[in-house]
Amino acid sequence: MGMKTEGLIWVGISILILYLIWLVIKPVLSPIVIALALVYITYPLHDRLSRRVGWKKSAFALSILLTLISAAFVIGFVLWMSDVKYQLIHYLDAFFSWLQSVTVSSQTVSEALSAVSEGIGTRLEAYIVSYTYSIPKMALEIFVMIFVYYGVLVNADAVVEEVYSLIPSQNRAFGTRLIDATKSTLDTLLKSWLSLSIAKGMTAALGFWLFGVSNVSGSIALGVLVSLLELLPLLGGWMVWVPASVYLAHSSGSALGFLLGVYGFTLVSPLPDLMLAPRITVRKRGLNALISLIGIFGGLWAFGLVGIIVGPVALGLLSTVVEEWKAAMG
């Protein structure tokens, strides 16, 4: 048997092994990606905590905290998610209807907005329904997420060393740039843009519930809408809390409406943006907002929830590859 034939056989075997691994990982890809993202976010905290209690105890404590948060999420999901789904779709329909009324009166724009509205509603409903009737599936994914989280966190340094060791020596500079580009994208996406948007959504949901704008499920739906709007350029959570303040002023008195307005301005938008922008602005991190937007929503459309992470990272890597190619051509 010639060396060429033997090489082709090993290539075929490798492809088969990779395919089998993909079939094994595919059902639990989402919790694995989420676990890795959580490790990246919480590693600085883990590093500081480990200096006091030890490396393994720190990883165990953070894993227990993640377990408690996940259990609370499952309970909340069971209690409220069905109602949240319908209310969120209702709010999205209302938002897109309003957007159509204030945009340029173009048939093309109107049809595009209608298609986006229907597409988001359909995707959202299908995604939530797939979990609503499969709580054991969710519990299994949470178990995998926590297991991966602890395993990677407790072996974080070894994992990093292994990743760098896989870079071929002749392409080490290029491989390092790809890793740096991934870190830069994750820093911007997870530690600033996405984290801040989720924090604003949670703050807004709490405010809507405390001020009596809606019940728990309705407030959660409004909070999700705030998070989505915070991801969009030129838009923001003010597009939700301003109408809510007006509604509250008409229904429950101007004082409550004013207080909700102060709450929204101070804790949702735009004051947090003005205060935090110099520290975690997207421009400072060098991540193009339009590319990030395409990555987030394109990834969400293609891969589901984990696409919020996978999409921008993939486009960030593509940008690095293009820059490397241009440098090589020049």
Side-chain angles (χ1 to χ4, degrees):
M1 183 183 297
M3 293 185 61
K4 185 176 181 180
T5 303
E6 184 177 350
L8 290 174
I9 291 175
W10 280 111
V11 168
I13 293 174
S14 300
I15 292 174
L16 178 61
I17 292 173
L18 291 174
Y19 176 71
L20 293 175
I21 292 174
W22 168 249
L23 291 180
V24 173
I25 294 178
K26 185 179 178 181
V28 291
L29 180 63
S30 293
I32 290 175
V33 172
I34 293 173
L36 295 176
L38 290 174
V39 168
Y40 192 82
I41 293 172
T42 59
Y43 181 81
L45 174 62
H46 168 59
D47 187 45
R48 290 194 296 269
L49 184 60
S50 65
R51 298 171 190 170
R52 297 184 178 183
V53 300
W55 193 261
K56 288 188 176 181
K57 288 182 179 179
S58 173
F60 183 75
L62 291 175
S63 299
I64 291 296
L65 178 61
L66 179 60
T67 302
L68 295 176
I69 294 173
S70 301
F73 173 79
V74 171
I75 293 172
F77 192 97
V78 173
L79 292 176
W80 299 310
M81 191 48 65
S82 181
D83 194 23
V84 169
K85 174 188 67 176
Y86 293 111
Q87 296 211 41
L88 181 56
I89 292 173
H90 169 72
Y91 290 140
L92 284 171
D93 288 339
F95 171 75
F96 278 104
S97 297
W98 171 82
L99 195 60
Q100 286 177 274
S101 68
V102 299
T103 52
V104 180
S105 56
S106 167
Q107 182 69 21
T108 303
V109 173
S110 178
E111 290 177 356
L113 288 174
S114 297
V116 171
S117 175
E118 293 175 4
I120 291 177
T122 302
R123 284 268 177 170
L124 183 65
E125 186 170 8
Y127 189 75
I128 294 176
V129 166
S130 68
Y131 282 98
T132 303
Y133 299 105
S134 184
I135 301 302
K137 175 186 176 183
M138 178 184 292
L140 177 61
E141 291 191 349
I142 288 176
F143 173 80
V144 172
M145 178 188 70
I146 295 170
F147 181 81
V148 172
Y149 175 81
Y150 175 78
V152 175
L153 193 61
V154 80
N155 297 289
D157 291 341
V159 171
V160 172
E161 291 179 5
E162 187 66 25
V163 170
Y164 277 98
S165 69
L166 293 175
I167 303 175
S169 57
Q170 62 271 24
N171 293 317
R172 183 163 296 275
F174 177 55
T176 301
R177 283 196 291 274
L178 286 177
I179 294 176
D180 290 341
T182 302
K183 290 169 62 178
S184 176
T185 303
L186 290 175
D187 281 342
T188 302
L189 180 69
L190 298 179
K191 295 183 180 179
S192 60
W193 198 8
L194 188 59
S195 297
L196 186 60
S197 297
I198 293 174
K200 287 182 176 182
M202 295 173 64
T203 303
L206 179 62
F208 295 142
W209 177 69
L210 289 175
F211 286 98
V213 174
S214 183
N215 58 14
V216 174
S217 57
S219 298
I220 293 174
L222 288 171
V224 172
L225 184 57
V226 167
S227 295
L228 292 174
L229 290 174
E230 285 291 336
L231 294 173
L232 299 174
L234 304 178
L235 304 180
W238 62 269
M239 301 185 73
V240 179
W241 69 254
V242 169
S245 298
V246 174
Y247 163 78
L248 195 61
H250 282 288
S251 62
S252 303
S254 57
L256 277 178
F258 174 76
L259 289 175
L260 178 59
V262 172
Y263 180 92
F265 180 87
T266 306
L267 299 178
V268 180
S269 64
L271 188 58
D273 299 305
L274 299 175
M275 297 291 290
L276 297 174
R279 300 179 181 179
I280 58 174
T281 178
V282 173
R283 288 191 181 92
K284 183 176 180 181
R285 293 289 188 178
L287 186 64
N288 184 278
L290 180 59
I291 293 178
S292 301
L293 184 68
I294 294 173
I296 287 174
F297 288 96
L300 182 64
W301 199 271
F303 301 103
L305 185 61
V306 295
I308 295 177
I309 302 171
V310 174
V313 170
L315 289 182
L317 291 175
L318 175 62
S319 176
T320 303
V321 171
V322 170
E323 290 297 324
E324 182 73 12
W325 179 77
K326 288 168 60 179
M329 293 294 291

